[in-house]
Amino acid sequence: ANEQVALLTLGLVEDEKREVARLMAGLTRVELLRHLPRPIGKKADGSPYRVYLVDADIETLKVIKQEITREHFEILGLARNAETALQFFLANRLHIDLVFLNLGLPDNASHFILDKMLSSKVGIRIFGLAPHGLPVPNEQLAVLAGREAIPVPIDREGLMRILNKGLAG
């Protein structure tokens, strides 16, 4: 009869948090009320953003995959070369919400793939990956989600900042 309860919420907006706090104020058994933010990999309807990864460097792919799956994004596929990247994208574009694309693929393939993806699916959000030292022209930055490239090697803080910016716009 003297039990204490801890309450954990996930993904509530400010109005919802205030309402829960108001309801809990009258209950003396609740010893802890903690709100966790909604993972950024979830859309407003609760379904995950579906992601396609394109990079020749397997280590970069591993780091991105690890970081974004922690945020509940769903990985639909990955490609390590331009030909495979475009074939998979064109066959699955209706299911892909976001693309992570290395902007430094050989033979200027990144520019070609970027243009093809943007012209093949309205509303696709492409996040560009810029390996250290790669200059990214302003016209390429302008079409990227977040309007900036994600520096490689990847750091979680920078990745999350650019993802949040790109998903908000």
Side-chain angles (χ1 to χ4, degrees):
N2 216 5
E3 296 172 344
Q4 293 293 313
V5 176
L7 180 65
L8 176 65
T9 65
L10 176 64
L12 298 182
V13 295
E14 289 307 312
D15 288 347
E16 293 166 329
K17 287 180 189 175
R18 281 192 292 277
E19 183 65 19
V20 168
R22 188 184 66 71
L23 290 170
M24 302 317 300
L27 301 176
T28 57
R29 292 179 52 199
V30 177
E31 66 179 41
L32 174 67
L33 175 60
R34 181 163 178 217
H35 300 289
L36 295 178
R38 173 183 214 93
I40 65 170
K42 296 282 188 185
K43 300 177 195 175
D45 68 3
S47 66
Y49 284 105
R50 294 163 302 189
V51 179
Y52 183 43
L53 305 171
V54 181
D55 196 326
D57 180 32
I58 194 70
E59 288 307 312
T60 299
L61 290 171
K62 282 181 186 177
V63 170
I64 292 171
K65 181 180 177 193
Q66 176 184 341
E67 294 299 338
I68 68 175
T69 54
R70 286 173 58 188
E71 290 293 331
H72 298 208
F73 289 88
E74 179 183 340
I75 310 291
L76 284 189
L78 60 89
R80 296 190 57 206
N81 66 58
E83 186 179 327
T84 305
L86 211 44
Q87 285 174 353
F88 183 90
F89 179 82
L90 292 173
N92 296 283
R93 67 180 170 257
L94 298 178
H95 307 290
I96 297 171
D97 300 310
L98 311 174
V99 175
F100 285 83
L101 173 64
N102 182 324
L103 299 174
L105 292 176
D107 301 324
N108 214 16
S110 302
H111 185 74
F112 176 75
I113 292 171
L114 182 64
D115 288 345
K116 201 75 169 150
M117 286 179 174
L118 289 169
S119 65
S120 299
K121 182 172 181 181
V122 174
I124 188 73
R125 292 181 179 159
I126 300 178
F127 290 89
L129 304 169
H132 182 70
L134 177 75
V136 181
N138 285 337
E139 58 273 9
Q140 261 191 351
L141 291 175
V143 299
L144 295 177
R147 305 290 183 253
E148 63 182 297
I150 298 167
V152 176
I154 304 291
D155 79 275
R156 179 173 172 74
E157 189 176 304
L159 174 64
M160 292 303 126
R161 181 183 59 74
I162 294 170
L163 269 173
N164 275 312
K165 186 175 166 186
L167 293 173

